[in-house]
Amino acid sequence: AASGRGQGPDGLSCGAIGPSALRKYGVIGTRSLAVAAALLAALAALAGPASAQTLRERLDSAITVTGVSRAQTGAFAFDLRTGRVVYGLNRSRSLAPASNEKLGVALTALDRLGPSYRIRTQVLGDGTRTGSTWKGRLVLRGFGDPTLTSADLRTLASALRSAGLRRVTGRIAGDESFFDKRRTASGWRASYYKNESPPLSALVVDRARVAGRTVDNPAMAAARAFRRALVAAGIQVGGRAVVAAA
């Protein structure tokens, strides 16, 4: 790996790239995001009566949606430590359930991974460095961050330029191998694919939207976006974008 690590903007950390060559698959950069930070901030408001009131106001605002009748909306929240109800709206009314599986997923992630967990996105170097030139390929490796954006890729590219990189001789690879190759989940309706959710992948940038449409190959789109970000940052790239594992 790189010889050091420094903290950059927006949760980005980059390994220091010194004059010596990085070892094969050395980690050049990593971007990370908190899991459910907003939810944790809201739960932290359970400390006292005044904070609980703030939480009720936040939840009330969150479920107020234009075009959706409050009479057809129900919600219920309670403090797991005390069993005290902290919010309720039409809590006893029978209603058809909405898309609520995400609640179980969020709770499981918080319980198993913890509030400080970060979803990584790495830039790996496969090759060696000579001066300002990386002789080999760069690999953008995803671990399932659903909030990764083109702006984040530009931050990574800028960090590489700031570390002295000016040229990459090889290809830019998008690595989605942390997940399997299934693009949909069991039980999805046909309309869910691309209309409501991008194709499932460990490497998705901008929710797989390119030029106003959702693409079929998120990892390829991500690799191309990262290549463009590198070029825009002033780093020459000799190879094309591809999908490949590190």
mmCIF file with all atom_site columns, all heavy atoms in Angstrom, residues 13 18 36 50 115-116 119 121 125 133 139 146 162 167 173 180 182 205:
data_model
loop_
_atom_site.group_PDB
_atom_site.id
_atom_site.type_symbol
_atom_site.label_atom_id
_atom_site.label_alt_id
_atom_site.label_comp_id
_atom_site.label_asym_id
_atom_site.label_entity_id
_atom_site.label_seq_id
_atom_site.pdbx_PDB_ins_code
_atom_site.Cartn_x
_atom_site.Cartn_y
_atom_site.Cartn_z
_atom_site.occupancy
_atom_site.B_iso_or_equiv
_atom_site.pdbx_formal_charge
_atom_site.auth_seq_id
_atom_site.auth_comp_id
_atom_site.auth_asym_id
_atom_site.auth_atom_id
_atom_site.pdbx_PDB_model_num
ATOM 1   N N   . SER A 1 13  ? -10.042 9.944   1.900   1.00 0.00 ? 13  SER A N   1
ATOM 2   C CA  . SER A 1 13  ? -8.691  9.759   2.417   1.00 0.00 ? 13  SER A CA  1
ATOM 3   C C   . SER A 1 13  ? -7.824  9.189   1.314   1.00 0.00 ? 13  SER A C   1
ATOM 4   O O   . SER A 1 13  ? -8.254  8.310   0.580   1.00 0.00 ? 13  SER A O   1
ATOM 5   C CB  . SER A 1 13  ? -8.681  8.837   3.636   1.00 0.00 ? 13  SER A CB  1
ATOM 6   O OG  . SER A 1 13  ? -9.219  7.573   3.303   1.00 0.00 ? 13  SER A OG  1
ATOM 7   N N   . GLY A 1 18  ? 4.549   8.626   -2.803  1.00 0.00 ? 18  GLY A N   1
ATOM 8   C CA  . GLY A 1 18  ? 5.911   9.120   -2.791  1.00 0.00 ? 18  GLY A CA  1
ATOM 9   C C   . GLY A 1 18  ? 6.639   8.790   -4.075  1.00 0.00 ? 18  GLY A C   1
ATOM 10  O O   . GLY A 1 18  ? 6.082   8.197   -4.998  1.00 0.00 ? 18  GLY A O   1
ATOM 11  N N   . ALA A 1 36  ? -26.382 5.889   7.386   1.00 0.00 ? 36  ALA A N   1
ATOM 12  C CA  . ALA A 1 36  ? -27.558 6.380   8.104   1.00 0.00 ? 36  ALA A CA  1
ATOM 13  C C   . ALA A 1 36  ? -27.206 7.441   9.140   1.00 0.00 ? 36  ALA A C   1
ATOM 14  O O   . ALA A 1 36  ? -27.717 7.440   10.256  1.00 0.00 ? 36  ALA A O   1
ATOM 15  C CB  . ALA A 1 36  ? -28.296 5.226   8.763   1.00 0.00 ? 36  ALA A CB  1
ATOM 16  N N   . ALA A 1 50  ? -37.228 18.140  25.563  1.00 0.00 ? 50  ALA A N   1
ATOM 17  C CA  . ALA A 1 50  ? -37.127 19.152  24.516  1.00 0.00 ? 50  ALA A CA  1
ATOM 18  C C   . ALA A 1 50  ? -36.633 18.533  23.228  1.00 0.00 ? 50  ALA A C   1
ATOM 19  O O   . ALA A 1 50  ? -37.134 18.812  22.139  1.00 0.00 ? 50  ALA A O   1
ATOM 20  C CB  . ALA A 1 50  ? -36.184 20.275  24.963  1.00 0.00 ? 50  ALA A CB  1
ATOM 21  N N   . PRO A 1 115 ? -22.732 2.631   13.962  1.00 0.00 ? 115 PRO A N   1
ATOM 22  C CA  . PRO A 1 115 ? -22.935 3.968   13.378  1.00 0.00 ? 115 PRO A CA  1
ATOM 23  C C   . PRO A 1 115 ? -21.691 4.581   12.754  1.00 0.00 ? 115 PRO A C   1
ATOM 24  O O   . PRO A 1 115 ? -21.789 5.514   11.970  1.00 0.00 ? 115 PRO A O   1
ATOM 25  C CB  . PRO A 1 115 ? -23.412 4.799   14.583  1.00 0.00 ? 115 PRO A CB  1
ATOM 26  C CG  . PRO A 1 115 ? -22.860 4.084   15.771  1.00 0.00 ? 115 PRO A CG  1
ATOM 27  C CD  . PRO A 1 115 ? -22.913 2.628   15.429  1.00 0.00 ? 115 PRO A CD  1
ATOM 28  N N   . SER A 1 116 ? -20.503 4.074   13.091  1.00 0.00 ? 116 SER A N   1
ATOM 29  C CA  . SER A 1 116 ? -19.275 4.664   12.552  1.00 0.00 ? 116 SER A CA  1
ATOM 30  C C   . SER A 1 116 ? -18.786 3.946   11.293  1.00 0.00 ? 116 SER A C   1
ATOM 31  O O   . SER A 1 116 ? -17.740 4.309   10.744  1.00 0.00 ? 116 SER A O   1
ATOM 32  C CB  . SER A 1 116 ? -18.165 4.633   13.610  1.00 0.00 ? 116 SER A CB  1
ATOM 33  O OG  . SER A 1 116 ? -17.856 3.293   13.979  1.00 0.00 ? 116 SER A OG  1
ATOM 34  N N   . ILE A 1 119 ? -18.670 2.991   4.072   1.00 0.00 ? 119 ILE A N   1
ATOM 35  C CA  . ILE A 1 119 ? -18.652 2.210   2.836   1.00 0.00 ? 119 ILE A CA  1
ATOM 36  C C   . ILE A 1 119 ? -17.534 2.759   1.959   1.00 0.00 ? 119 ILE A C   1
ATOM 37  O O   . ILE A 1 119 ? -17.558 3.927   1.572   1.00 0.00 ? 119 ILE A O   1
ATOM 38  C CB  . ILE A 1 119 ? -19.999 2.293   2.105   1.00 0.00 ? 119 ILE A CB  1
ATOM 39  C CG1 . ILE A 1 119 ? -21.116 1.759   3.009   1.00 0.00 ? 119 ILE A CG1 1
ATOM 40  C CG2 . ILE A 1 119 ? -19.952 1.497   0.802   1.00 0.00 ? 119 ILE A CG2 1
ATOM 41  C CD1 . ILE A 1 119 ? -22.495 1.890   2.406   1.00 0.00 ? 119 ILE A CD1 1
ATOM 42  N N   . THR A 1 121 ? -14.871 3.289   -1.253  1.00 0.00 ? 121 THR A N   1
ATOM 43  C CA  . THR A 1 121 ? -14.638 3.235   -2.692  1.00 0.00 ? 121 THR A CA  1
ATOM 44  C C   . THR A 1 121 ? -13.152 3.496   -2.876  1.00 0.00 ? 121 THR A C   1
ATOM 45  O O   . THR A 1 121 ? -12.658 4.549   -2.478  1.00 0.00 ? 121 THR A O   1
ATOM 46  C CB  . THR A 1 121 ? -15.472 4.271   -3.450  1.00 0.00 ? 121 THR A CB  1
ATOM 47  O OG1 . THR A 1 121 ? -16.864 4.001   -3.257  1.00 0.00 ? 121 THR A OG1 1
ATOM 48  C CG2 . THR A 1 121 ? -15.151 4.234   -4.936  1.00 0.00 ? 121 THR A CG2 1
ATOM 49  N N   . GLY A 1 125 ? -3.773  0.881   -7.579  1.00 0.00 ? 125 GLY A N   1
ATOM 50  C CA  . GLY A 1 125 ? -2.795  0.963   -8.648  1.00 0.00 ? 125 GLY A CA  1
ATOM 51  C C   . GLY A 1 125 ? -2.191  -0.394  -8.956  1.00 0.00 ? 125 GLY A C   1
ATOM 52  O O   . GLY A 1 125 ? -1.676  -1.067  -8.061  1.00 0.00 ? 125 GLY A O   1
ATOM 53  N N   . THR A 1 133 ? 4.582   9.559   -13.577 1.00 0.00 ? 133 THR A N   1
ATOM 54  C CA  . THR A 1 133 ? 3.868   8.623   -14.450 1.00 0.00 ? 133 THR A CA  1
ATOM 55  C C   . THR A 1 133 ? 3.569   7.316   -13.723 1.00 0.00 ? 133 THR A C   1
ATOM 56  O O   . THR A 1 133 ? 4.455   6.741   -13.079 1.00 0.00 ? 133 THR A O   1
ATOM 57  C CB  . THR A 1 133 ? 4.696   8.309   -15.714 1.00 0.00 ? 133 THR A CB  1
ATOM 58  O OG1 . THR A 1 133 ? 4.894   9.513   -16.465 1.00 0.00 ? 133 THR A OG1 1
ATOM 59  C CG2 . THR A 1 133 ? 3.985   7.287   -16.586 1.00 0.00 ? 133 THR A CG2 1
ATOM 60  N N   . VAL A 1 139 ? -7.465  1.073   -10.893 1.00 0.00 ? 139 VAL A N   1
ATOM 61  C CA  . VAL A 1 139 ? -8.718  0.348   -10.683 1.00 0.00 ? 139 VAL A CA  1
ATOM 62  C C   . VAL A 1 139 ? -9.587  1.115   -9.691  1.00 0.00 ? 139 VAL A C   1
ATOM 63  O O   . VAL A 1 139 ? -9.150  1.403   -8.573  1.00 0.00 ? 139 VAL A O   1
ATOM 64  C CB  . VAL A 1 139 ? -8.467  -1.077  -10.144 1.00 0.00 ? 139 VAL A CB  1
ATOM 65  C CG1 . VAL A 1 139 ? -9.796  -1.816  -9.969  1.00 0.00 ? 139 VAL A CG1 1
ATOM 66  C CG2 . VAL A 1 139 ? -7.535  -1.844  -11.066 1.00 0.00 ? 139 VAL A CG2 1
ATOM 67  N N   . PRO A 1 146 ? -24.157 3.511   -2.349  1.00 0.00 ? 146 PRO A N   1
ATOM 68  C CA  . PRO A 1 146 ? -25.213 3.955   -3.265  1.00 0.00 ? 146 PRO A CA  1
ATOM 69  C C   . PRO A 1 146 ? -25.231 5.457   -3.491  1.00 0.00 ? 146 PRO A C   1
ATOM 70  O O   . PRO A 1 146 ? -26.008 5.947   -4.313  1.00 0.00 ? 146 PRO A O   1
ATOM 71  C CB  . PRO A 1 146 ? -26.496 3.502   -2.543  1.00 0.00 ? 146 PRO A CB  1
ATOM 72  C CG  . PRO A 1 146 ? -26.145 3.610   -1.095  1.00 0.00 ? 146 PRO A CG  1
ATOM 73  C CD  . PRO A 1 146 ? -24.687 3.216   -0.999  1.00 0.00 ? 146 PRO A CD  1
ATOM 74  N N   . SER A 1 162 ? -2.801  16.175  -7.035  1.00 0.00 ? 162 SER A N   1
ATOM 75  C CA  . SER A 1 162 ? -2.104  16.868  -5.952  1.00 0.00 ? 162 SER A CA  1
ATOM 76  C C   . SER A 1 162 ? -0.943  16.031  -5.416  1.00 0.00 ? 162 SER A C   1
ATOM 77  O O   . SER A 1 162 ? 0.034   16.573  -4.893  1.00 0.00 ? 162 SER A O   1
ATOM 78  C CB  . SER A 1 162 ? -3.074  17.180  -4.816  1.00 0.00 ? 162 SER A CB  1
ATOM 79  O OG  . SER A 1 162 ? -4.076  18.087  -5.242  1.00 0.00 ? 162 SER A OG  1
ATOM 80  N N   . ARG A 1 167 ? 0.333   11.267  -15.403 1.00 0.00 ? 167 ARG A N   1
ATOM 81  C CA  . ARG A 1 167 ? 0.096   10.380  -16.542 1.00 0.00 ? 167 ARG A CA  1
ATOM 82  C C   . ARG A 1 167 ? -0.129  8.955   -16.063 1.00 0.00 ? 167 ARG A C   1
ATOM 83  O O   . ARG A 1 167 ? 0.545   8.488   -15.142 1.00 0.00 ? 167 ARG A O   1
ATOM 84  C CB  . ARG A 1 167 ? 1.289   10.436  -17.498 1.00 0.00 ? 167 ARG A CB  1
ATOM 85  C CG  . ARG A 1 167 ? 1.139   9.572   -18.756 1.00 0.00 ? 167 ARG A CG  1
ATOM 86  C CD  . ARG A 1 167 ? 2.235   9.899   -19.761 1.00 0.00 ? 167 ARG A CD  1
ATOM 87  N NE  . ARG A 1 167 ? 2.179   9.012   -20.918 1.00 0.00 ? 167 ARG A NE  1
ATOM 88  C CZ  . ARG A 1 167 ? 3.040   8.028   -21.158 1.00 0.00 ? 167 ARG A CZ  1
ATOM 89  N NH1 . ARG A 1 167 ? 4.062   7.814   -20.341 1.00 0.00 ? 167 ARG A NH1 1
ATOM 90  N NH2 . ARG A 1 167 ? 2.921   7.279   -22.231 1.00 0.00 ? 167 ARG A NH2 1
ATOM 91  N N   . ALA A 1 173 ? -9.952  0.740   -14.877 1.00 0.00 ? 173 ALA A N   1
ATOM 92  C CA  . ALA A 1 173 ? -10.875 -0.384  -14.691 1.00 0.00 ? 173 ALA A CA  1
ATOM 93  C C   . ALA A 1 173 ? -11.902 -0.078  -13.608 1.00 0.00 ? 173 ALA A C   1
ATOM 94  O O   . ALA A 1 173 ? -11.570 0.496   -12.569 1.00 0.00 ? 173 ALA A O   1
ATOM 95  C CB  . ALA A 1 173 ? -10.101 -1.646  -14.324 1.00 0.00 ? 173 ALA A CB  1
ATOM 96  N N   . ASP A 1 180 ? -22.156 -9.937  -6.429  1.00 0.00 ? 180 ASP A N   1
ATOM 97  C CA  . ASP A 1 180 ? -22.319 -10.868 -7.541  1.00 0.00 ? 180 ASP A CA  1
ATOM 98  C C   . ASP A 1 180 ? -22.813 -10.098 -8.772  1.00 0.00 ? 180 ASP A C   1
ATOM 99  O O   . ASP A 1 180 ? -22.916 -8.868  -8.748  1.00 0.00 ? 180 ASP A O   1
ATOM 100 C CB  . ASP A 1 180 ? -23.264 -12.013 -7.177  1.00 0.00 ? 180 ASP A CB  1
ATOM 101 C CG  . ASP A 1 180 ? -24.662 -11.526 -6.790  1.00 0.00 ? 180 ASP A CG  1
ATOM 102 O OD1 . ASP A 1 180 ? -25.098 -10.479 -7.315  1.00 0.00 ? 180 ASP A OD1 1
ATOM 103 O OD2 . ASP A 1 180 ? -25.314 -12.192 -5.967  1.00 0.00 ? 180 ASP A OD2 1
ATOM 104 N N   . ARG A 1 182 ? -25.785 -10.306 -10.304 1.00 0.00 ? 182 ARG A N   1
ATOM 105 C CA  . ARG A 1 182 ? -27.231 -10.133 -10.437 1.00 0.00 ? 182 ARG A CA  1
ATOM 106 C C   . ARG A 1 182 ? -27.574 -8.650  -10.441 1.00 0.00 ? 182 ARG A C   1
ATOM 107 O O   . ARG A 1 182 ? -27.070 -7.872  -9.614  1.00 0.00 ? 182 ARG A O   1
ATOM 108 C CB  . ARG A 1 182 ? -27.967 -10.820 -9.289  1.00 0.00 ? 182 ARG A CB  1
ATOM 109 C CG  . ARG A 1 182 ? -27.880 -12.335 -9.327  1.00 0.00 ? 182 ARG A CG  1
ATOM 110 C CD  . ARG A 1 182 ? -28.781 -12.964 -8.286  1.00 0.00 ? 182 ARG A CD  1
ATOM 111 N NE  . ARG A 1 182 ? -30.179 -12.595 -8.511  1.00 0.00 ? 182 ARG A NE  1
ATOM 112 C CZ  . ARG A 1 182 ? -31.185 -13.058 -7.768  1.00 0.00 ? 182 ARG A CZ  1
ATOM 113 N NH1 . ARG A 1 182 ? -30.941 -13.897 -6.770  1.00 0.00 ? 182 ARG A NH1 1
ATOM 114 N NH2 . ARG A 1 182 ? -32.421 -12.696 -8.015  1.00 0.00 ? 182 ARG A NH2 1
ATOM 115 N N   . VAL A 1 205 ? -22.218 4.978   -9.911  1.00 0.00 ? 205 VAL A N   1
ATOM 116 C CA  . VAL A 1 205 ? -21.995 6.421   -9.802  1.00 0.00 ? 205 VAL A CA  1
ATOM 117 C C   . VAL A 1 205 ? -23.226 7.154   -10.313 1.00 0.00 ? 205 VAL A C   1
ATOM 118 O O   . VAL A 1 205 ? -23.762 6.799   -11.374 1.00 0.00 ? 205 VAL A O   1
ATOM 119 C CB  . VAL A 1 205 ? -20.743 6.849   -10.602 1.00 0.00 ? 205 VAL A CB  1
ATOM 120 C CG1 . VAL A 1 205 ? -20.583 8.371   -10.578 1.00 0.00 ? 205 VAL A CG1 1
ATOM 121 C CG2 . VAL A 1 205 ? -19.504 6.179   -10.021 1.00 0.00 ? 205 VAL A CG2 1
#
